[in-house]
Amino acid sequence: MRGPRLETLRSLILWGAVGALLLVQPAAAQVTDADAIDYPPLPSFETPKPERVTLANGLVVMLLEDHELPLVDVRAMVRTGSRLEPAEKVGLADLVGRVLRSGGTESMPSDELDDLLEDRAASIETFIGIDSGAAFMSCLADDFPEMLGVFADILRRPAFEQAKLDVAKNQAMSAIARQNDNVNAVAAREFQELIYGSESPYARSATYATVGAVSRDDLVAWHRKYFHPNRVILGLAGDFDVQEARELVAKVFGDWPRGPDVDDPEAGYRKEPAPGVFFIEKNDVTQSTVGIGHLGITRDNPDFYAVELMNQVLGGSFAARLFTRVRSQKALAYNVGGGVRSDWDHPGVFQMTLNTKTETTAAGIDALLAEAKNITAEPPTDEEVERARSGILNSFVFRAISTRQILDQQMTYQYFGYPLDWQERYRKGIESVTTAEVLRAAEKHIHPDRFAILVVGPKEGRDRPLSDFGEVRTIDITIPEPAASGTK
Amino acid sequence: MRPAPARIHCLAVALFLLTAAAAPAAVEDLLAEFESKTTVRVLDNGWTFIIVERPTAPVFSFATVVNVGAAQEVPGITGLAHMFEHMAFKGTPNIGTTDYGAEKKALEEVEAAYQAYEMARRAPRADPAEVARLHAAFKKKEAAAGKYAVTNEFGQIVERYGGVGLNAFTNSDMTAYAYSFPANRVELFAFLESERFLHPVFREFYKERDVVREERRLRTESQPLGRLVEQVLATAFFAHPYKQPVVGYSSDLQAFTATDADQFYRRNYVPSNMVTAVVGHVKAETILPIIEKYFGRVPAGDKPPPLATVEPPQIAARQVTLVEAAQPVYLEMFHQPSVTHPDQEIYTAINDVLANGRTSRLYRKLVRDQKIAISAGSFSGIPGTKYPSLWGAFAFPARGHTNEEVQASIREEIERIKTEPVSDGDLERFRTRAKADLLRQVRSNFGLALQFAITETLWGDWRELFRSIDRIEKVTKDDILRVARETFQPANRTVGMIVTEEPATAGSGSQEEKSR
């Protein structure tokens, strides 16, 4: 036992020929079987831990040095999200996310800011998604002190210039006009509504009316409500000295006044499934786009690890049943997949998807439904489960090989209140799942009687009527125009 | 597994160093730094290997680029380069079968049955009963051969041993295969990546051809932009095979055979036509013997002769207009030289000034000031860069605005860059951004492996990836004026547009695949 461990230590310390020579011992002749290769052990690898500090105003800061290249990357996660916007102003959070960056700051007009960043080959981008907001900065190491100041300015003192809000609203309105052009975007959007409910903040989309209702005052009020240091996690990785970086952060963020500590209301979604068969007519395509499923789970569900392995068996790999049977063997689709998705603080969606030519729509739906039944009727075998487990465990090294990747993970766990060693718990969880538990996870989390089946595609030319699968409800996706008084 | 443009978007993944080495002072030092850790070895059979040592995280990435793309195809076998890319995942006599001896015979019978069916099907006055009979006979042989297949075993092996990112792409210029392994899988990499090109077996060929037909439906036939780009390329190119879609014409996807694919493979997948770059936790002196042992098995062969067809100068403006249910889209394309032409970086400069970021002219005019476009920009090297190709400008009109409006503004900016020298600030920003982009590009093993292999293929020397910076530094205002004047001529232009149909005439959409 001592021998191999000494070798791996050496391979860590000595980057020269010796370390690498110990790593690879070629066999005498070429193999004809991957299992016949004598694999040396992987050198052990210390995952670097970010330095962490919380400022007096509540700002959580994580830092990791990385001196390979003269670059610095910064990311801020802000506790906000479009799920917090009022129903009559869906699209507000997205506009805040855009104009935070594009609208300049109190000390720098937007065009000057754009010039400065691009002259230095730096970038700062901001956006607000469903459950969080983010700001990213990338710059050359020499520009880091100045750019961090600009970054702080954008987060703390955005100007939300009206002219730039007008541009962003124009873009948002135009995106609505285009929302039915891409069949996969239509399917994704409408499927979310079928699962979460059309009024849920997890599913609803902006309309001309809701975007038109947004004013600059709304952006200012949003910023005032959510952008406080005690709602922000800041991560920095790159070519700096940690101590100097900490001082810099204190300088530009230290006097940011703490805001109130409030809990945000929970966003609603439909808890009861609403199964059925739903059709959206779209005739400028030669395929049907199919989505089948219901609600999924959160990542802290006790079955999470068993579900992860079940997902690999069902749809997540080259060995997966959906890929092998529906694509490679039946040749029904190029694009097919599925799994029980999870999210950090709200349920994801269990979904199977497929695009197949119109003439094989029913055959495609049959194939997906068959695999949803087979996952319990033809239980995952030991071999399938071990293959899935090996795939995850043998590739585990790829989950933590870069400073930015590590920081992103730590920030995410911090943001959603998960333990910071979640990655290690994940590994142990995957190691210990049994084949029986994978079957139980499938039985517990996949329910064909709760399926919503959505088909988007041509009305004519299918192999069998959709009514074979149940009573069909047609969804009209005509984009509602704003009221006659108009919006801009 | 999919056609993709030649420009590669690298994963922006920063590397972690256990030892705190100093960062290079400037991007100009990058070439020297990479020279110190890069080894090039050409095997006896002509296969070029580039090993780049980055002893940080215990992983490595590799990319094999084969110098064959859709431009090497002719009508009748369009889509074959991409089809072979799919077949490179189907295994070998050792991978993907339960009994190759029996399977080989069964596959020969499949092929004979398919050829008989195909010839009957294509006959000018085909007899439907005979075609149906031969089709049934073929399907029977296909099912019999399929019993020996262990479907997707190649991919399963890669995943089981911890490989990630297993994928490939084909474009008009080249076919690339790339993924990553933990550092202790060096011999597995050598085995798998030599095995699949040494003796691929064309099992499940006709099933996979149907999968590719679905891919065509997904990416081209069911996407307004997909339809537009296919039409624009066919119009902008008069003679050169760049006019052909990478995924292939629909009729060819129903007609080419496994025998065609085998001939294509033998002609083009010769080691002298192949470059493999390996980047990461590897040592050249350790990995090269393993590479010799496995990849040296592939017999040498003659490189196929270079393409003879040259696109003649365009002498008349061309236009393609699609009337669609979708919102408007506007493109205008001009012929430009290949990537190895000395003017290449001047086109990069033009793109930087016209389209790069919020300071760019197209953004400021069309999006910020006039608000007639949701986005606007430009691009180079479509559909490839190995041969003279296309430069293009595009705009997505904003709601309530038209292709004519965005066209007028785009043409104003094109006129301006032809007549008015760019500013010192423009040039300075161009140089700074190009250098920073290169720094960001080299952060990823995977991205670097692809870039090294592609650059070596196009130029014969990976160093050109870094030398482009020297050419960028030398671009002058007069260069930009000259190239703009030469390129942006009406006779050199192809316009492509999507026009939104009036609701009253809403039709049944795509003309393709109606009753097949």
Side-chain angles (χ1 to χ4, degrees), chain B residues 152-225:
Chain B
N152 297 327
E153 189 175 26
F154 184 92
Q156 292 177 30
I157 292 172
V158 171
E159 285 176 342
R160 189 155 46 88
Y161 280 101
V164 299
L166 178 60
N167 215 325
F169 68 81
T170 311
N171 61 26
S172 300
D173 291 341
M174 61 189 66
T175 314
Y177 305 83
Y179 52 108
S180 308
F181 262 138
N184 62 340
R185 307 297 190 204
V186 169
E187 190 169 353
L188 180 60
F189 143 72
F191 166 55
L192 290 175
E193 291 304 288
S194 61
E195 181 75 6
R196 75 197 301 200
F197 300 121
L198 170 65
H199 43 197
V201 172
F202 295 84
R203 56 175 62 96
E204 299 175 312
F205 181 84
Y206 296 100
K207 291 243 168 85
E208 195 64 21
R209 202 182 66 174
D210 281 345
V211 171
V212 171
R213 288 183 71 191
E214 290 295 341
E215 190 179 352
R216 189 189 149 83
R217 290 185 184 101
L218 181 76
R219 294 191 198 280
T220 302
E221 294 171 12
S222 302
Q223 294 292 338
L225 263 184

Side-chain angles (χ1 to χ4, degrees), chain A residues 11-12 15-17 20-21 23-35 37-43 45-46 48 65-71 73 101-102 110-111 114-115 118-125 138-140 163-164 166-167 170-171 173-175 177-178 181-184 208 239 283-287 316-319 323-324 327-335 355-357 359-360 387 390-391 394-395 397-398 401-404 481-482 487, chain B residues 1-2 12-24 30 37 54-59 86 89-90 94 151-152 155-157 159-164 166 180-188 191 204 207-208 210-211 214-215 217-219 221-224 227 281 283 285-286 290 293-294 297 324-329 356-360 363-364 367-368 371 373-374 396-399 429 432-433 436 439-440 442-443 507-510 512-514 516:
Chain A
S11 73
L12 277 179
W15 298 124
L21 271 174
L23 196 53
V24 182
Q25 303 293 340
Q30 303 101 345
V31 302
T32 56
D33 182 347
D35 297 336
I37 294 173
D38 189 17
Y39 296 102
L42 196 63
F45 180 63
E46 270 303 312
E65 290 185 12
D66 183 344
H67 299 286
E68 203 205 0
L69 291 162
L71 296 167
D73 291 281
R101 163 64 183 87
S102 67
S110 58
D111 290 348
D114 292 343
D115 285 343
E118 294 190 5
D119 284 347
R120 305 289 184 85
S123 76
I124 294 177
E125 298 301 331
S138 177
C139 66
L140 297 170
K164 291 300 161 76
D166 292 341
V167 171
N170 189 33
Q171 289 175 314
M173 297 287 207
S174 302
R178 290 174 184 272
D181 291 354
N182 178 324
V183 64
N184 294 309
Y208 295 132
D239 186 23
N283 290 312
D284 60 348
V285 295
T286 58
Q287 289 179 318
S317 62
F318 272 90
F323 189 85
T324 295
R327 169 169 155 158
S328 304
Q329 288 170 349
K330 293 185 180 156
L332 282 171
Y334 169 80
N335 186 39
N355 299 69
T356 190
K357 60 188 181 298
E359 299 85 342
T360 47
R387 198 186 298 137
S390 297
N394 283 335
S395 64
V397 64
F398 287 98
I401 55 168
S402 85
T403 48
R404 289 190 325 149
E481 288 292 322
T487 51
Chain B
M1 289 279 197
R2 62 205 194 287
V13 166
L15 284 173
F16 168 73
L17 255 193
L18 288 173
T19 59
L30 271 182
K37 32 190 197 186
R54 299 184 97 181
T56 56
V59 296
H86 277 240
F89 289 79
K90 291 294 178 186
N94 297 311
T151 307
N152 297 327
Q156 292 177 30
I157 292 172
E159 285 176 342
R160 189 155 46 88
Y161 280 101
V164 299
L166 178 60
S180 308
F181 262 138
N184 62 340
R185 307 297 190 204
V186 169
E187 190 169 353
L188 180 60
F191 166 55
E204 299 175 312
K207 291 243 168 85
E208 195 64 21
D210 281 345
V211 171
E214 290 295 341
E215 190 179 352
R217 290 185 184 101
L218 181 76
R219 294 191 198 280
E221 294 171 12
S222 302
Q223 294 292 338
R227 295 191 279 271
H281 196 291
K283 260 284 172 202
E285 65 238 42
T286 328
I290 301 171
K293 184 168 85 170
Y294 279 93
R297 302 182 288 165
E324 297 258 351
Q327 291 293 294
V329 178
N356 190 358
R358 294 184 181 86
T359 61
S360 70
Y363 177 84
R364 285 193 157 160
V367 180
R368 184 192 69 177
K371 295 198 252 305
I374 194 174
F396 293 88
R399 177 169 166 248
R429 187 183 316 123
T432 308
R433 290 202 280 199
L439 273 184
R440 291 185 171 108
V442 304
R443 291 203 282 187
S508 49
S510 168
E512 303 233 24
E513 294 296 303
K514 268 299 171 59
R516 294 218 155 175

Side-chain angles (χ1 to χ4, degrees), chain A residues 370-410:
Chain A
E371 292 315 321
K373 289 209 164 62
N374 286 340
I375 197 71
T376 50
E378 185 198 324
T381 62
D382 285 335
E383 197 197 331
E384 282 178 302
V385 172
E386 282 322 301
R387 198 186 298 137
R389 197 198 316 272
S390 297
I392 293 175
L393 295 179
N394 283 335
S395 64
F396 217 77
V397 64
F398 287 98
R399 288 169 185 255
I401 55 168
S402 85
T403 48
R404 289 190 325 149
Q405 190 188 21
I406 290 160
L407 259 188
D408 281 353
Q409 287 164 4
Q410 294 290 298

Side-chain angles (χ1 to χ4, degrees), chain B residues 154-422:
Chain B
F154 184 92
Q156 292 177 30
I157 292 172
V158 171
E159 285 176 342
R160 189 155 46 88
Y161 280 101
V164 299
L166 178 60
N167 215 325
F169 68 81
T170 311
N171 61 26
S172 300
D173 291 341
M174 61 189 66
T175 314
Y177 305 83
Y179 52 108
S180 308
F181 262 138
N184 62 340
R185 307 297 190 204
V186 169
E187 190 169 353
L188 180 60
F189 143 72
F191 166 55
L192 290 175
E193 291 304 288
S194 61
E195 181 75 6
R196 75 197 301 200
F197 300 121
L198 170 65
H199 43 197
V201 172
F202 295 84
R203 56 175 62 96
E204 299 175 312
F205 181 84
Y206 296 100
K207 291 243 168 85
E208 195 64 21
R209 202 182 66 174
D210 281 345
V211 171
V212 171
R213 288 183 71 191
E214 290 295 341
E215 190 179 352
R216 189 189 149 83
R217 290 185 184 101
L218 181 76
R219 294 191 198 280
T220 302
E221 294 171 12
S222 302
Q223 294 292 338
L225 263 184
R227 295 191 279 271
L228 179 65
V229 169
E230 188 174 61
Q231 294 295 319
V232 166
L233 290 176
T235 309
F237 289 100
F238 181 64
H240 192 274
Y242 269 172
K243 65 186 173 185
Q244 291 163 178
V246 175
V247 73
Y249 299 125
S250 213
S251 55
D252 287 349
L253 286 177
Q254 295 172 70
F256 64 58
T257 67
T259 305
D260 293 328
D262 188 53
Q263 284 168 357
F264 186 87
Y265 152 74
R266 283 176 201 289
R267 186 166 59 247
N268 293 289
Y269 276 71
V270 292
S272 51
N273 230 14
M274 297 167 74
V275 175
T276 301
V278 185
V279 181
H281 196 291
V282 293
K283 260 284 172 202
E285 65 238 42
T286 328
I287 194 177
L288 282 171
I290 301 171
I291 282 172
E292 292 270 7
K293 184 168 85 170
Y294 279 93
F295 293 91
R297 302 182 288 165
V298 182
D302 293 326
K303 266 203 209 195
L307 183 64
T309 309
V310 175
E311 180 71 13
Q314 183 174 330
I315 58 170
R318 300 169 187 161
Q319 179 159 315
V320 146
T321 305
L322 269 69
V323 181
E324 297 258 351
Q327 291 293 294
V329 178
Y330 182 81
L331 298 175
E332 65 178 52
M333 322 285 286
F334 297 87
H335 289 274
Q336 67 161 138
S338 72
V339 72
T340 50
H341 190 280
D343 284 348
Q344 178 62 28
E345 277 73 18
I346 302 168
Y347 284 97
T348 312
I350 290 172
N351 284 339
D352 199 77
V353 172
L354 280 183
N356 190 358
R358 294 184 181 86
T359 61
S360 70
R361 294 182 184 183
L362 288 176
Y363 177 84
R364 285 193 157 160
K365 173 171 263 160
L366 280 79
V367 180
R368 184 192 69 177
D369 297 342
Q370 296 177 333
K371 295 198 252 305
I372 57 176
I374 194 174
S375 74
S378 69
F379 46 80
S380 278
I382 294 297
T385 60
K386 196 196 302 180
Y387 308 104
S389 61
L390 296 172
W391 179 99
F394 69 88
F396 293 88
R399 177 169 166 248
H401 293 275
T402 66
N403 287 322
E404 286 67 31
E405 288 178 81
V406 303
Q407 177 185 73
S409 292
I410 285 174
R411 290 193 180 169
E412 274 171 27
E413 288 306 327
I414 286 179
E415 263 321 291
R416 187 178 162 207
I417 204 157
K418 283 165 70 174
T419 51
E420 188 190 300
V422 303

